[in-house]
Amino acid sequence: MKVRINYHMFAVLALLVLVTASPGFGSQPEELPRGKVIESVACKADPQQSYALYLPSGYAADKKWPMLYAFDPAARGKLPVTLFKDAAEKFGYIVVGSNNSQNGMQVAGIVKTLWADTHARFKIDDQRVYTTGFSGGARVALAVALGYSGQVAGVIACSAGFPASAAPAPGLAFVVFATTGTEDFNFPEVQQLKRKLEALGVRNHLEVFAGGHDWPPADLCAQAIRWMEIQGMKKGTRVKDDALIDQLLTERTTKTRGYETAGKNYEAYLEYQALAADFADLRDTREFEANTARLAAIKEIKAAIKSERGQEERQRDLEFKVQTLLAKLQPGASYPETLAELKSVFLDLTRKAEDTRDISQQRVSCRVLHATFALLYESADRLSMSKNNSGAAEKLEIAALIKPKNPYLFYELAIAYARAGNKSKAINALGRAIESGFTDSARIEQDQEFDPLRNEAGYKKLVSGIKKTM
């Protein structure tokens, strides 16, 4: 998933914010609730823009506080703020989540307004400003760190890396904590990001969680904050806390040794490697380095590393195959044959994605299916925005081959057909949505997209059927 961003503006915006953000306002903030997530705080310069907010319980303007800016690809500011709030409370972070930044739009102006408003309202520690984002939001978070060069200390990049036009380069001024799910279609990209950062000598950390393309769970968000605390101590921007260092070191060492005891040698290898890097310059890490080297020498670990690279190659090849078929799926004599081949590929991938006997094959198949679904859904959205509703419906029909029981997909398909003026297919798609579990009759009746269907017998029967089951 990609976001259209005017990256060149960020360098200019950084200077503009330095001029327009008034530090004096931060010492006299308005009274906003502490210790709770606020869904929407309107920006003073532009009330049409807002952000979700979490202020620690002890927040006061007589000291400076670290700040975390969060960007979600669907402008769900509350979601990341909620995920990070517990760690924010424990370590004293202000967290804001943009309610405006989202995929498919220019975000430079939104970032400028957000940055200026928060710097005017709150007492922020300028040496401890961080950004985070998921998917397209991760690209925004990294673009902000590049644009406000030297003013962002670290980025928590979830399920995506740098924007295509802004690859990491030597001298990167911030550290990176990355996350990805085992079934995330961007898994290879995030793994490759780690390798690129290591080659550049940039401090980074990667955590993989059981899941797909999504924000990481709250406990992993907390781990990311703890990691940033450690990096702050290394850099000298955060007061060194030996008790906290020892606590975090003990927790992670115990976890790592537990992996090895349980025979999870690859997981132990990765953790020893991370421990050596994360706690270098703070504690003696020779034991971790030795354990990393010891495990790296055994065949099991070499095979696991090779398997992981092999997964990336298989995913790339399968995605290329699917995309080639999608490109061939044009109106004409070959359409039925190509569609049949595409269905066959989807069925094979679905079968392998459900086969738990081969975890490597299962994960690759899941990633390819998720990637294709996202590609089709985004294509449908673009076609819909350009008023090509028949084209949007076609993309959603293909997406339904991957997720044949997704009620919300069929609901969107019904809207696409209704917009295209195809009443019979719209009613059919709406029926498939209801069969798959869509039960919100009020939403159907209030949705203006279905106005052309109101007098159709099929539509009336569907709505009446829902009401009878409620």
Side-chain angles (χ1 to χ4, degrees):
M1 296 183 181
K2 295 184 179 180
V3 182
R4 295 191 294 272
I5 306 170
N6 187 342
Y7 303 108
H8 299 293
M9 283 188 66
F10 278 114
V12 178
L13 291 177
L15 296 175
L16 288 174
V17 170
L18 287 175
V19 175
T20 60
S22 174
F25 294 160
S27 61
Q28 297 177 337
E30 62 189 275
E31 281 302 315
L32 290 166
R34 273 72 159 156
K36 64 176 290 187
V37 175
I38 304 170
E39 289 193 37
S40 181
V41 176
C43 294
K44 292 181 178 179
D46 181 2
Q48 297 301 310
Q49 295 190 39
S50 69
Y51 49 88
L53 169 70
Y54 185 83
L55 286 175
S57 308
Y59 176 81
D62 59 355
K63 60 172 283 190
K64 295 181 178 180
W65 301 75
M67 166 67 83
L68 176 66
Y69 291 101
F71 302 95
D72 180 81
R76 301 170 298 178
K78 181 183 176 183
L79 177 55
V81 172
T82 301
L83 287 170
F84 281 97
K85 72 177 181 64
D86 289 343
E89 177 66 23
K90 182 173 182 179
F91 293 104
Y93 279 59
I94 303 169
V95 186
V96 301
S98 173
N99 289 327
N100 300 93
S101 175
Q102 60 183 305
N103 281 5
M105 65 184 301
Q106 296 284 354
V107 300
I110 291 170
V111 172
K112 175 190 173 184
T113 300
L114 178 68
W115 185 284
D117 192 87
T118 50
H119 276 72
R121 287 180 193 264
F122 309 116
K123 196 77 170 181
I124 297 173
D125 185 343
D126 291 329
Q127 292 187 305
R128 300 177 67 197
V129 174
Y130 307 91
T131 63
T132 185
F134 156 62
S135 192
R139 302 191 199 284
V140 173
L142 286 160
V144 171
L146 288 171
Y148 288 86
S149 182
Q151 298 181 70
V152 175
V155 178
I156 302 169
C158 309
S159 293
F162 283 77
S165 60
L172 207 61
F174 52 89
V175 297
V176 178
F177 186 104
T179 72
T180 185
T182 52
E183 297 178 1
D184 184 356
F185 55 78
N186 276 346
F187 183 93
E189 178 187 353
V190 178
Q191 290 282 358
Q192 291 160 19
L193 171 64
K194 177 176 176 59
R195 295 197 286 270
K196 289 177 183 176
L197 293 175
E198 287 176 346
L200 293 170
V202 177
R203 289 179 181 174
N204 73 96
H205 183 99
L206 171 61
E207 281 293 329
V208 178
F209 61 93
H213 189 68
D214 206 348
W215 281 100
D219 61 338
L220 187 46
C221 291
Q223 184 177 337
I225 293 295
R226 291 195 293 270
W227 189 82
M228 291 299 176
E229 292 291 281
I230 291 295
Q231 301 311 307
M233 292 183 210
K234 282 186 174 186
K235 193 174 181 181
T237 55
R238 190 235 196 257
V239 175
K240 189 175 180 182
D241 185 336
D242 286 316
L244 179 59
I245 294 171
D246 290 338
Q247 175 193 339
L248 298 179
L249 183 60
T250 298
E251 289 174 357
R252 288 184 54 188
T253 302
T254 301
K255 173 184 173 183
T256 306
R257 289 171 178 162
Y259 280 143
E260 196 165 7
T261 300
K264 297 180 178 180
N265 290 327
Y266 186 55
E267 287 85 348
Y269 163 75
L270 293 175
E271 285 295 329
Y272 279 130
Q273 190 178 54
L275 279 166
D278 293 348
F279 289 91
D281 303 325
L282 293 175
R283 293 292 183 269
D284 186 348
T285 59
R286 285 175 294 182
E287 176 189 348
F288 306 135
E289 293 164 3
N291 285 333
T292 299
R294 171 177 58 81
L295 290 172
I298 67 177
K299 291 183 179 180
E300 177 189 349
I301 303 304
K302 292 179 179 179
I305 295 172
K306 184 177 180 180
S307 174
E308 195 167 86
R309 300 292 179 91
Q311 287 180 33
E312 294 178 20
E313 293 176 4
R314 289 200 302 278
Q315 181 177 339
R316 184 187 63 239
D317 292 344
L318 283 167
E319 287 180 352
F320 179 77
K321 179 179 181 180
V322 170
Q323 289 168 13
T324 299
L325 287 172
L326 289 172
K328 286 175 59 180
L329 201 60
Q330 302 293 333
S334 65
Y335 187 94
E337 181 182 341
T338 304
L339 182 61
E341 186 177 356
L342 195 59
K343 286 181 180 178
S344 177
V345 171
F346 287 161
L347 285 171
D348 183 57
L349 287 170
T350 300
R351 178 181 58 79
K352 291 176 179 177
E354 295 171 352
D355 187 354
T356 57
R357 292 172 298 178
D358 187 336
I359 298 299
S360 174
Q361 177 178 262
Q362 180 194 37
R363 289 177 175 175
V364 169
S365 299
C366 283
R367 292 171 195 163
V368 175
L369 288 171
H370 294 332
T372 307
F373 184 84
L375 175 66
L376 289 165
Y377 211 90
E378 288 187 343
S379 295
D381 186 54
R382 287 194 296 270
L383 289 166
S384 178
M385 291 178 67
S386 63
K387 307 300 182 183
N388 185 350
N389 296 304
S390 294
E394 180 187 2
K395 297 298 182 184
L396 293 174
E397 286 281 15
I398 299 170
L401 297 175
I402 300 173
K403 295 189 177 183
K405 296 181 180 179
N406 187 316
Y408 301 101
L409 170 61
F410 287 118
Y411 189 86
E412 293 295 327
L413 180 59
I415 289 175
Y417 277 131
R419 287 174 175 171
N422 194 324
K423 294 181 181 180
S424 62
K425 287 191 175 182
I427 292 170
N428 179 265
L430 193 57
R432 292 162 76 184
I434 294 168
E435 289 173 7
S436 301
F438 194 92
T439 59
D440 191 346
S441 61
R443 179 176 173 183
I444 294 173
E445 291 182 302
Q446 293 168 11
D447 199 325
Q448 295 180 358
E449 302 289 355
F450 297 134
D451 285 351
L453 312 179
R454 306 298 184 198
N455 294 323
E456 300 294 319
Y459 169 83
K460 292 178 180 179
K461 183 178 179 180
L462 288 174
V463 175
S464 175
I466 296 180
K467 290 181 176 179
K468 286 179 180 178
T469 60
M470 293 178 66

